[in-house]
Amino acid sequence: TASVYEGEDAGIGAFRFAEDYGIDEVARIMTVARALHEKLTADGEEYRAPKEITHCGKRACTAGKLWKRAEEMKKADMHDAAGADYIRSLL
């Protein structure tokens, strides 16, 4: 079961799920990410991911900025954070 813990978002939850179950198919990972994202943003839900994850400066990150940030994290061997940003960029 995929889950999102306090301080996380759908990108992190989907990446962890993929690692735990050895899933490497992008389509399956994105299905999980979209389901988590929809659950977190459903009417009546009040959860908000921390701005450190979702924002680049004062504004929400664009897909391009998330992709660039993921590339930088990948170069710094921060693969989990990079994977979550790649997923975020595709949501």
Side-chain angles (χ1 to χ4, degrees):
T1 302
S3 56
V4 176
Y5 301 113
E6 187 69 34
E8 298 181 341
D9 69 349
I12 296 171
F15 188 81
R16 181 179 45 252
F17 179 82
E19 279 192 321
D20 289 349
Y21 292 96
I23 299 169
D24 59 5
E25 294 174 44
V26 174
R28 287 182 66 196
I29 296 168
M30 291 310 299
T31 298
V32 170
R34 285 186 198 99
L36 290 171
H37 182 71
E38 287 174 12
K39 185 170 182 168
L40 291 173
T41 58
D43 289 338
E45 294 296 323
E46 296 192 21
Y47 180 78
R48 297 233 187 257
K51 287 187 177 184
E52 302 86 51
I53 296 173
T54 61
H55 284 63
C56 296
K58 293 183 180 183
R59 295 184 178 181
C61 295
T62 63
K65 287 191 179 207
L66 285 167
W67 194 271
K68 183 178 179 181
R69 187 169 76 179
E71 289 290 314
E72 291 170 2
M73 288 182 190
K74 184 176 151 187
K75 288 177 187 173
D77 289 330
M78 298 171 63
H79 299 286
D80 289 353
D85 264 356
Y86 283 128
I87 292 169
R88 277 184 210 104
S89 73
L90 298 172
L91 280 175

